[in-house]
Amino acid sequence: VLDDIRATGSRKTVVARTHVGSPPMSTLAFCPVPHTRRDQIWLGIGLSLGLGLTRLFRRLLSPSSSSTSAPRLPSGNVKLYYWPATGRAEIVRMLFAEAGVAFEDVTFEKPAGLQVYRDLKSFMAVKGSAAAQKFFVECRAKGGNSTNNTPMLEIGGQFYTQSTALYRLAARLSGLYPQDSEAAYVVDNILAHCEDMFPLCYNALFGRELTKDELANVMVPLHLGNLERLLGLHGGEWFTGSFSVADVRVVDVCVHLFSRALPGCLVPFPRLTSLVERVMARPKIAAYLASEQYKKTDKFFPL
């Protein structure tokens, strides 16, 4: 390519020729604006491919909607303060078991021959014992609340209270709480359902305006049926599409309350039954459920 530079006063014009002796081309050898229909089509295809690849790489490099946070296992001594029973502390125990977090159960000695969940009389005798009252006073002093501070977590000398806050804290520490806002909403929604369900077996046990028949024939179909439906909406395996604290909490409520209070009540709910089997078969949770630490805690009796 031969470029002829012609000086005209103070201006210079660059003329491009493909061969010596050929007529000059336009003063601009390349124009960035596509003029022909073919150029416009190819430009559109290129932009579409570029945008598509950008979205693909962003999706691959960012966490999925159902992914959970990376575990931030607590350092230092971990202590869980609660009754010598499953109750509201069991979900924390199961989460820590899944994450491989060693923890100490701090509790009180029950009066001989009593069981927390046998009946209302036994429960009140355990609660009113000198050892229990001393324990609750100490927990209030450590936790800082004037109300009951159990369950309470101590991690490296720092105390944490309020049961539902503890569930989320333990889930985040264990890597079982979603990062994505939509998946986190699903988890919080399921946890709220479980909080609504939690008092029902206690109410029937203590005769608080709920009979065993009402629990079995009204409340179980209502609440467990709703969880069965919600699990089905998300594929039927896990509530968020991947294993999370929501699955552990539902299994905790099903296993430690409803199935014990009303044996066989899960039979009409195949998705929940399969969920229970999957969670309880996870190696670390299965090991915890077979441990002496688990066996020595009181559990619900059939109503």
Side-chain angles (χ1 to χ4, degrees):
V1 177
L2 176 64
D3 292 338
D4 291 344
I5 302 178
R6 299 173 181 175
T8 306
S10 61
R11 297 177 59 191
K12 293 184 179 180
T13 304
V14 177
V15 181
R17 291 183 180 142
T18 56
H19 297 286
V20 177
S22 64
M25 299 173 61
S26 64
T27 56
L28 286 176
F30 170 75
C31 179
V33 180
H35 291 288
T36 67
R37 180 65 175 169
R38 184 184 66 181
D39 291 344
Q40 292 172 355
I41 292 173
W42 280 111
L43 178 62
I45 292 173
L47 289 173
S48 298
L49 287 173
L51 290 172
L53 288 172
T54 300
R55 292 191 187 101
L56 176 62
F57 283 122
R58 282 179 178 174
R59 189 174 300 171
L60 292 173
L61 294 175
S62 63
S64 65
S65 62
S66 60
S67 65
T68 50
S69 58
R72 296 182 292 111
L73 302 183
S75 58
N77 293 332
V78 178
K79 297 179 180 180
L80 178 61
Y81 296 77
Y82 196 62
W83 294 57
T86 51
R88 292 189 177 276
E90 198 58 31
I91 174 63
V92 178
R93 296 181 182 118
M94 293 176 70
L95 289 170
F96 281 166
E98 172 68 19
V101 175
F103 64 93
E104 176 188 352
D105 274 312
V106 181
T107 187
F108 58 89
E109 190 73 25
K110 295 178 301 178
L114 294 180
Q115 211 274 4
V116 174
Y117 300 119
R118 183 176 297 278
D119 51 37
L120 177 58
K121 182 179 179 181
S122 180
F123 175 86
M124 295 306 296
V126 172
K127 182 179 179 180
S129 67
Q133 290 303 307
K134 180 175 181 291
F135 175 76
F136 296 142
V137 169
E138 291 173 351
C139 287
R140 282 193 289 271
K142 291 178 178 179
N145 290 332
S146 58
T147 55
N148 188 1
N149 280 321
T150 58
M152 179 172 67
L153 267 177
E154 180 184 358
I155 302 176
Q158 180 71 37
F159 292 91
Y160 303 87
T161 61
Q162 297 297 340
S163 56
T164 56
L166 293 188
Y167 306 160
R168 291 172 174 84
L169 173 63
R172 290 186 177 95
L173 293 174
S174 304
L176 292 175
Y177 194 90
Q179 300 179 81
D180 177 79
S181 58
E182 286 296 321
Y185 163 75
V186 173
V187 163
D188 290 345
N189 182 274
I190 298 301
L191 293 180
H193 278 296
C194 290
E195 285 304 296
D196 291 341
M197 296 166 58
F198 189 86
L200 297 177
C201 293
Y202 289 88
N203 291 344
L205 174 66
F206 300 151
R208 296 173 180 167
E209 300 180 354
L210 184 65
T211 66
K212 177 182 176 180
D213 288 342
E214 290 171 335
L215 177 65
N217 299 319
V218 178
M219 293 304 176
V220 162
L222 178 68
H223 289 278
L224 295 187
N226 195 41
L227 290 175
E228 176 86 356
R229 177 186 64 84
L230 291 171
L231 184 56
L233 289 178
H234 297 91
E237 185 175 11
W238 310 115
F239 279 101
T240 66
S242 62
F243 183 56
S244 74
V245 59
D247 306 296
V248 182
R249 181 55 171 159
V250 169
V251 169
D252 171 34
V253 171
C254 286
V255 169
H256 295 113
L257 289 178
F258 285 87
S259 290
R260 288 186 173 274
L262 300 169
C265 69
L266 284 179
V267 172
F269 309 105
R271 295 191 188 100
L272 290 180
T273 299
S274 296
L275 176 68
V276 168
E277 292 171 352
R278 280 192 300 276
V279 172
M280 294 183 71
R282 293 179 73 87
K284 292 180 180 179
I285 290 180
Y288 164 69
L289 296 176
S291 69
E292 290 301 318
Q293 183 178 18
Y294 174 75
K295 291 177 182 179
K296 69 183 181 182
T297 56
D298 283 358
K299 299 161 185 71
F300 236 84
F301 273 64
L303 294 174

